[in-house]
């Protein structure tokens, strides 16, 4: 099964097929755009040198284990890394890494980056591409199923999969260290809304939107703030609740950073496991511990 959307129902299977058709249609559009020089896709086979002809050349739209291969346009790769605010200190993992372009671009920015790709031919191609780009030491590739891969070492996760796969991954993503950035090409994550969304218009005709999520700290429950109870109700990065009897407003998490307003006073702080602390505007420092 190639574009398997794991659903037992015939309706879901029909949806998967429709989506696959849509992906293939878009893939054809990409290939056409490529032929007219509109995007940085692999060169047409006819234009390749004799040496390149011996190499494996993937076809846009070819089958993959859970999703077909369609490369992310380079302008969107750049945007995805910009949105994640990557630095050379970050370790990046691309789930379903295709020809390696996201991993290689990250390595060119000084990151240690790893691609997880089920197709061994794509893995070999990625390794050659990384060597050619001079980043073979920082860009590594593993032939593996992304569902059987340990994600815990990554500071940044990138992916161009499907919404159904993103949702299946979601519980594992939410267990990653707070502050881990997850960036997806085009596909969403169910009711976990993105923290940011941007679309590129230059040199991109399809799959041009990047979505960023920042894994939120876990703060659901009761906290003691100087003898008062802060009740927090958490829905991913969004918060509601009350301090004593006063409702909090405009409350959310950005990884381990928390902010909310009570009685017109803006509280900002940092969550550190079972404690949090920060500043209340015009009021000085505040701190809380799990009640
Ligand atoms: C849409 S392509 C994206 C490629 C690359 N990330 C990019 O943005 O250019 C999806 C890739 O995921 C790979 N893939 C599909 N199912 C997979 C799985 N279960 N584990 C690892 N890779 C998988 C496919 O072979 C394909 O290369």
């Amino acid at each position: 099964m190639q574009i398997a959307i794991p659903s037992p129902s015939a309706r879901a299977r029909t949806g998967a097929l429709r989506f696959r058709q849509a992906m293939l249609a878009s893939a054809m559009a990409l290939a056409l755009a490529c032929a007219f020089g509109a995007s940085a896709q692999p060169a047409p086979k006819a234009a390749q040198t004799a040496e390149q002809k011996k190499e494996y050349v993937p076809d846009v739209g070819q089958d993959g284990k859970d999703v077909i291969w369609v490369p992310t346009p380079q302008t969107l790769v750049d945007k995805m890394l910009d949105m994640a605010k990557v630095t050379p200190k970050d370790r990046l993992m691309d789930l379903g890494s295709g020809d390696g372009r996201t991993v290689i671009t990250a390595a060119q920015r000084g990151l240690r980056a790893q691609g997880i790709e089920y197709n061994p031919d794509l893995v070999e191609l990625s390794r050659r591409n990384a060597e050619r780009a001079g980043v073979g030491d920082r860009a590594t590739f593993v032939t593996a199923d992304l569902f059987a891969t340990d994600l815990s070492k990554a500071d940044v996760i990138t992916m161009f999969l499907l919404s159904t796969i993103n949702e299946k991954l979601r519980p594992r993503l939410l267990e990653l260290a707070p502050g881990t950035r997850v960036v997806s090409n085009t596909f969403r994550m169910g009711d976990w809304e993105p923290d940011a969304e941007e679309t590129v218009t230059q040199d991109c005709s399809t799959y041009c939107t990047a979505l960023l999520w920042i894994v939120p700290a876990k703060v659901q429950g009761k906290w003691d703030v100087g003898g008062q109870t802060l009740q927090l109700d958490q829905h991913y990065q969004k918060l509601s609740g009350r301090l004593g009897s006063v409702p909090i407003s405009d409350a959310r998490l950005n990884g381990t950073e928390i902010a909310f307003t009570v009685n017109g006073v803006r509280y900002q702080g940092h969550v550190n496991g079972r404690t949090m602390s920060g500043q209340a505007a015009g009021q000085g420092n505040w701190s809380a511990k799990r009640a």
Side-chain angles (χ1 to χ4, degrees):
M1 181 61 197
Q2 307 303 337
I3 185 135
I5 295 177
S7 167
S9 75
R11 193 171 156 208
R13 281 198 300 275
T14 306
L17 275 172
R18 281 210 196 97
F19 181 70
R20 183 170 191 242
Q21 284 162 353
M23 285 278 281
L24 283 168
S26 297
M28 286 176 66
L30 267 177
L32 282 171
C34 170
F36 286 95
S39 72
Q41 307 303 327
K45 285 179 189 172
Q48 290 173 345
T49 64
E51 187 188 324
Q52 283 171 325
K53 266 182 193 162
K54 282 187 238 150
E55 289 188 358
Y56 168 73
V57 178
D59 290 316
V60 174
Q62 72 181 31
D63 286 336
K65 180 173 182 289
D66 292 298
V67 57
I68 60 175
W69 176 66
V70 177
T72 294
Q74 185 60 41
T75 49
L76 194 68
V77 171
D78 295 334
K79 175 59 73 179
M80 289 167 74
L81 299 185
D82 290 346
M83 286 175 73
K85 295 190 170 75
V86 297
T87 76
K89 287 186 185 157
D90 288 320
R91 289 159 302 179
L92 178 140
M93 191 176 267
D94 188 37
L95 304 182
S97 48
D99 64 2
R101 59 185 59 202
T102 304
V103 172
I104 291 166
T105 307
Q108 286 170 329
R109 293 191 187 195
L111 283 77
R112 278 176 295 146
Q114 185 170 72
I116 307 298
E117 170 58 54
Y118 197 79
N119 180 331
D121 292 327
L122 283 171
V123 169
E124 283 306 314
L125 174 65
S126 301
R127 287 179 181 146
R128 284 195 297 274
N129 288 343
E131 287 299 328
R132 283 177 188 141
V135 292
D137 53 341
R138 287 195 301 278
T140 57
F141 298 90
V142 178
T143 308
D145 186 334
L146 61 92
F147 288 112
T149 298
D150 176 10
L151 311 180
S152 65
K153 301 279 189 303
D155 303 295
V156 178
I157 290 185
T158 52
M159 52 202 196
F160 180 19
L161 300 167
L162 293 167
S163 301
T164 46
I165 297 175
N166 292 356
E167 281 189 58
K168 204 169 157 190
L169 283 169
R170 188 177 63 197
R172 293 177 59 205
L173 298 173
L174 285 164
E175 287 306 313
L176 296 175
T180 304
R181 292 91 87 201
V182 180
V183 197
S184 166
N185 177 346
T186 301
F187 294 98
R188 307 185 81 84
M189 195 90 71
D191 67 348
W192 183 11
E193 289 179 13
D195 293 282
E197 178 170 346
E198 287 191 45
T199 299
V200 296
T201 51
Q202 208 173 354
D203 297 328
C204 192
S205 52
T206 53
Y207 302 113
C208 303
T209 297
L211 305 154
L212 168 74
W213 293 264
I214 300 170
V215 174
K218 292 186 174 63
V219 298
Q220 169 72 41
K222 288 185 167 51
W223 296 77
D224 178 64
V225 183
Q228 277 195 301
T229 298
L230 172 65
Q231 169 67 44
L232 293 176
D233 297 313
Q234 180 170 8
H235 184 67
Y236 306 112
Q237 69 274 58
K238 295 180 185 170
L239 300 172
S240 57
R242 40 189 68 235
L243 179 60
S245 59
V246 184
I248 65 171
S249 60
D250 199 10
R252 64 187 288 133
L253 285 155
N254 182 342
T256 55
E257 304 305 312
I258 188 168
F260 54 91
T261 299
V262 187
N263 272 338
V265 177
R266 189 71 177 157
Y267 288 71
Q268 289 179 305
H270 182 83
V271 183
N272 188 1
R274 297 182 63 80
T275 63
M276 48 181 143
S277 58
Q279 314 247 288
Q283 314 269 314
N285 296 336
W286 68 277
S287 63
K289 58 182 192 305
R290 279 276 183 199

